[in-house]
Amino acid sequence: MQARAKIQVNKNQVGNDRINPYLFGHFVEDIRDHMDAMLAYPLSDMDFESMDGTYRGLSGSWRPYTNGKSTIYGLEPAAARHSGHSQLVRIYSDDEAYAGISQAIAVKQDRDGYSLTLYARTSVEIKIVAAEIVDRKSGEVLGSTRINLESHNWKHYESHLPVLRDCEHAEFRLYVPSDHERWRDHVSTGMLWLDHISLLPSDSAGNVRKEVMEMTRDLNAGMMRLAGNYISAYHWQQAVGPVNERPCVINEAWGGWTNKYFGTDEFIKFCRDLNVEPLICVNDGSGTPEEAAEWVEYCNGGLDTPMGKLRAANGHVEPYGVKYWEIGNEVWGAWQVGHCSAEQFAERYMRFAQSMKARDPEIRLLACGDDKMDWNKTLLDRAAEHIDYLTLHLYHGYNRFGMNDRTPKEERYKAMFSYPEWTRETVRQLREIFSSTSRYAHLKLAITEYNTMYYPNTMRKGLPNEHTLEAAAVNAANLNEFIRNSDLIEIGSFSDLVNGWLGGCIRVGDFYADQFRGKSSGRSENSLIVYGTPSYYVMKMYANRDLGYVVQSHTECGSFKVNSLVSTEPNLDDLPNLDVVACTNVSGDKLTIFMVNRGLEDTLTEVQLDGFAESGKAHLSEITADHYECINSAQNPNSVVCKGHELSFFKSQVTCQLRASSVYVLEITR
């Protein structure tokens, strides 16, 4: 028989607390391939920071491009105020050869031309270099230019490199051409040094991919967080000012190099272009209260302050006005730089808070909380007066149930869909703490990281589960719990925005980084494709609704039980198949009902509107597919997307067919 359910909306029972648009925020971190994928640069190792590996004397991803039998390559000291190395190419006249360097890249058609920037010096005989992009398979030249070299000293050069068409298997080459006038083969001749090479497509938004920018704008995120494990060893002054003069710094949390092309100024521009509020997490691991305070001053100080002057010198006269600042990222974890006890963190937090607020008393501060309540009790007891928001990171995976990838699929499925119950129990415990004394009455919650985490199956072997319809529906159900608690939860940050450790809700290419091995040298075979995972469409669906307040509702439906292999709290014996939350807009003329069918069967659902509207047309948006393991990929990027259609309703009742493991939004306007 067809499963049936009933949802009763109580239109007159409306909450008093406004749903904060920051609830649907996102999160950027320099982790794995997150920033490399987000940014528009097709070249890597642009500053020759890496030591030679595969090819002696060549940095990182660079390869020799020469037909000379005597060409020599070497890594030499960087230019003044630069970091990393300079790349030497030594060309012997007798070879009468071309000689330079190359790198495999993917490019898209760009009639206006990629912006080519390089920093170079030469021995006096070398007057030009050629730059070109070719199809590695056919040899077709897709674009080329020549640059006149004007100095024996280091100098900045720019040119444009038009590209005829998209090419996944392209190669960039920069070299002294063989038709160059020859020189005497002597100790001081035939040498070319390079200390920076970059390409940017003409349609990039700053230095961010156009496609990523457009997709992120559609998310209507509300807030964007800059944070993560790397931030606890991140010194902000290393990533401001001219990018070529920023140091190359090891990413101590995740391996590889910290991305110096997306520092404070670029992050703020990213947020302003998207019209979202920035949230910055400061380095309380290897950093100091004074360093954090200077970061606040750099963002918010006037021209009469030292850091405000520095910001202006870097081209940004007006203060950024960053209001939200987070102190501590997972400090309770042994993997975190600056890991400490709750007592130690409370003392540290207060020193940071006092220093930062001395520079700008108007900022709002977030303190690192934990889902273990002993940490929170100690922190709040000592520092509550200095805290505006307590933070939580809520990841949900098999490990808390004693399950793994050999557990039957249906049992794993049900366990993952209990995400809202775990969030609810954590919030319940915090409500209890907050209500224990008037000292805590002002506190709010910020869930600054959350996502499904299909651990231990996160090695990217086969199906990346975090990208499935199931993962999207699980995240949607958890968002429903955030909305139900919107009197207390004001900030949410989905982890991650682009690629990254759980795959990101926006995908660039189809290469899945290995969670445990840091940045990979591998590259996608579809790196020009930018698409959304099913969770992307959930986040877009939720954030673009006209929401004001929660409306009480009651659901009658079937239920399921989670057969955990270990004891759990909360109790998971009788969980409703439908997870539902209803909202009204501020003016009260639109009703929005979020419905997640957590069950494994379709459910015919009657929605009773309690006289909100008698008859008319309702709009139903849905994210669904034929099976909960359906996934978007570079080959099929639109398998799971949001679709909408109209439903007629009569006598204040709407009937909806809710497919299994799917997400719905029903909107009625009167």
Side-chain angles (χ1 to χ4, degrees):
M1 292 179 62
Q2 168 83 66
R4 292 182 176 271
K6 182 183 295 184
I7 299 170
Q8 174 68 55
V9 176
N10 302 317
K11 66 179 178 65
N12 294 321
Q13 297 185 37
V14 180
N16 296 319
D17 297 278
R18 183 85 177 265
I19 298 168
N20 196 315
Y22 300 161
L23 205 61
F24 309 108
H26 286 264
F27 166 40
V28 295
E29 177 181 5
D30 196 350
I31 177 174
R32 311 292 185 235
D33 57 345
H34 188 311
M35 288 188 181
D36 292 343
M38 183 175 80
L39 301 185
Y41 299 102
L43 290 169
S44 58
D45 201 23
M46 296 182 286
D47 301 287
F48 308 100
E49 59 265 26
S50 302
M51 297 300 290
D52 56 356
T54 305
Y55 290 87
R56 185 175 178 180
L58 277 163
S59 176
S61 302
W62 295 100
R63 298 292 180 262
Y65 181 67
T66 182
N67 64 343
K69 63 181 180 180
S70 303
T71 304
I72 294 174
Y73 295 91
L75 294 176
E76 298 202 349
R81 298 189 303 277
H82 283 228
S83 185
H85 308 92
S86 64
Q87 177 70 65
L88 167 67
V89 182
R90 179 76 189 269
I91 311 159
Y92 284 86
S93 182
D94 287 349
D95 282 349
E96 297 184 356
Y98 60 82
I101 57 177
S102 66
Q103 186 176 138
I105 60 173
V107 290
K108 58 185 181 179
Q109 183 185 64
D110 193 335
R111 300 289 186 182
D112 293 329
Y114 277 71
S115 174
L116 169 62
T117 300
L118 62 128
Y119 200 64
R121 65 178 289 256
T122 71
S123 55
V124 296
E125 294 80 11
I126 297 180
K127 303 299 183 183
I128 59 168
V129 289
E132 62 188 24
I133 294 173
V134 301
D135 184 323
R136 285 186 289 128
K137 292 187 173 181
S138 69
E140 178 189 3
V141 177
L142 304 176
S144 64
T145 186
R146 290 199 172 196
I147 299 172
N148 293 322
L149 301 178
E150 301 171 357
S151 179
H152 183 244
N153 293 318
W154 288 108
K155 188 171 180 179
H156 178 88
Y157 297 92
E158 292 185 358
S159 186
H160 282 84
L161 200 55
V163 176
L164 295 176
R165 58 174 173 82
D166 292 0
C167 184
E168 184 66 49
H169 301 281
E171 182 174 85
F172 170 77
R173 300 167 178 170
L174 184 80
Y175 60 97
V176 177
S178 57
D179 61 5
H180 194 290
E181 183 181 350
R182 293 292 106 176
W183 48 88
R184 289 187 63 190
D185 193 1
H186 191 262
V187 68
S188 63
T189 57
M191 290 181 279
L192 168 68
W193 290 269
L194 302 163
D195 199 350
H196 170 83
I197 305 176
S198 63
L199 289 168
L200 265 179
S202 61
D203 65 358
S204 61
N207 57 2
V208 177
R209 290 177 188 258
K210 175 190 175 185
E211 299 87 350
V212 168
M213 200 71 184
E214 290 173 346
M215 290 189 68
T216 306
R217 183 174 288 110
D218 290 344
L219 283 170
N220 192 29
M223 178 174 276
M224 190 67 64
R225 174 180 183 251
L226 180 70
N229 284 359
Y230 91 105
I231 212 77
S232 294
Y234 175 81
H235 300 285
W236 67 271
Q237 287 205 44
Q238 295 175 339
V240 297
V243 291
N244 291 347
E245 297 179 12
R246 298 176 186 178
C248 299
V249 179
I250 289 291
N251 187 327
E252 295 179 33
W254 300 114
W257 298 95
T258 297
N259 195 307
K260 70 180 189 177
Y261 292 88
F262 196 76
T264 302
D265 300 312
E266 290 79 17
F267 173 66
I268 297 298
K269 183 181 187 306
F270 182 60
C271 292
R272 297 305 182 224
D273 288 348
L274 294 170
N275 193 31
V276 301
E277 189 73 20
L279 164 62
I280 295 176
C281 184
V282 300
N283 174 4
D284 78 315
S286 64
T288 64
E290 180 60 23
E291 181 182 21
E294 288 179 342
W295 202 353
V296 172
E297 185 176 280
Y298 182 84
C299 289
N300 298 351
L303 298 180
D304 57 343
T305 65
M307 294 298 105
K309 288 180 182 176
L310 177 61
R311 184 193 64 245
N314 290 334
H316 311 280
V317 175
E318 295 300 319
Y320 291 141
V322 178
K323 183 177 181 181
Y324 294 88
W325 295 82
E326 187 174 355
I327 301 173
N329 180 84
E330 297 181 2
V331 189
W332 34 260
W335 55 85
Q336 196 75 204
V337 173
H339 166 60
C340 62
S341 68
E343 292 83 0
Q344 291 169 325
F345 177 67
E347 297 303 316
R348 182 196 301 173
Y349 175 87
M350 286 190 290
R351 294 195 300 273
F352 271 75
Q354 290 163 355
S355 294
M356 293 165 70
K357 285 218 168 187
R359 302 295 177 102
D360 185 351
E362 301 303 314
I363 61 175
R364 306 290 302 280
L365 294 180
L366 291 72
C368 175
D370 190 10
D371 58 5
K372 310 296 188 296
M373 294 303 138
D374 287 347
W375 174 281
N376 299 326
K377 289 175 181 177
T378 300
L379 172 62
L380 296 179
D381 179 61
R382 300 187 179 208
E385 288 78 10
H386 301 274
I387 300 171
D388 297 301
Y389 293 86
L390 187 72
T391 71
L392 292 175
H393 290 180
L394 300 178
Y395 291 104
H396 184 70
Y398 302 148
N399 54 327
R400 64 185 4 160
F401 304 96
M403 297 178 178
N404 57 38
D405 56 358
R406 293 180 294 278
T407 305
K409 276 188 178 182
E410 186 171 324
E411 297 304 317
R412 285 183 282 153
Y413 173 94
K414 290 186 289 187
M416 291 305 295
F417 266 104
S418 69
Y419 197 175
E421 280 71 26
W422 290 84
T423 297
R424 184 179 308 131
E425 176 60 20
T426 302
V427 174
R428 183 198 66 77
Q429 293 178 41
L430 282 169
R431 283 188 185 276
E432 192 174 280
I433 294 172
F434 288 2
S435 63
S436 65
T437 171
S438 59
R439 288 180 59 215
Y440 305 160
H442 66 287
L443 292 171
K444 298 292 184 181
L445 283 179
I447 316 299
T448 52
E449 293 184 30
Y450 70 93
N451 200 346
T452 57
M453 186 174 69
Y454 286 78
Y455 179 85
N457 186 29
T458 50
M459 294 289 286
R460 301 296 173 256
K461 293 178 181 177
L463 182 69
N465 290 356
E466 288 88 0
H467 300 177
T468 61
L469 173 62
E470 176 191 344
V474 170
N475 279 316
N478 189 57
L479 273 177
N480 286 354
E481 191 62 28
F482 287 5
I483 294 170
R484 282 189 285 268
N485 288 280
S486 56
D487 62 316
L488 192 61
I489 304 174
E490 291 191 348
I491 293 172
S493 303
F494 182 84
S495 172
D496 294 321
L497 179 65
V498 182
N499 291 23
W501 85 292
L502 289 176
C505 71
I506 296 173
R507 285 294 310 166
V508 176
D510 63 358
F511 182 82
Y512 300 117
D514 183 329
Q515 176 182 341
F516 300 105
R517 301 186 188 280
K519 291 185 178 180
S520 170
S521 60
R523 62 181 291 273
S524 168
E525 291 304 310
N526 295 279
S527 58
L528 297 177
I529 302 296
V530 182
Y531 63 95
T533 66
S535 286
Y536 169 85
Y537 291 100
V538 163
M539 298 302 298
K540 180 179 175 181
M541 171 191 275
Y542 274 66
N544 284 284
R545 306 275 75 82
D546 184 8
L547 305 181
Y549 306 95
V550 174
V551 178
Q552 189 181 90
S553 62
H554 175 72
T555 303
E556 298 176 11
C557 62
S559 63
F560 65 97
K561 175 184 179 181
V562 178
N563 296 310
S564 177
L565 301 177
V566 296
S567 60
T568 64
E569 186 180 343
N571 185 289
L572 305 175
D573 286 342
D574 189 22
L575 307 184
N577 285 339
L578 299 189
D579 190 297
V580 178
V581 63
C583 311
T584 184
N585 62 353
V586 173
S587 59
D589 61 356
K590 177 176 282 189
L591 183 66
T592 300
I593 305 169
F594 297 98
M595 304 173 289
V596 180
N597 185 356
R598 302 192 286 182
L600 285 166
E601 57 184 348
D602 297 355
T603 302
L604 189 65
T605 304
E606 293 180 1
V607 183
Q608 298 177 352
L609 304 176
D610 192 26
F612 178 83
E614 289 298 323
S615 62
K617 295 286 187 181
H619 184 80
L620 185 69
S621 300
E622 64 178 356
I623 298 174
T624 187
D626 291 336
H627 194 271
Y628 61 82
E629 288 188 330
C630 285
I631 183 173
N632 292 340
S633 66
Q635 292 77 23
N636 297 289
N638 299 311
S639 295
V640 185
V641 298
C642 182
K643 298 178 181 179
H645 54 273
E646 302 295 318
L647 295 177
S648 297
F649 66 94
F650 307 94
K651 296 182 180 179
S652 203
Q653 180 174 300
V654 189
T655 300
C656 309
Q657 177 79 318
L658 306 184
R659 298 184 67 186
S661 52
S662 299
V663 186
Y664 295 85
V665 179
L666 181 67
E667 293 175 296
I668 301 100
T669 303
R670 61 183 178 189

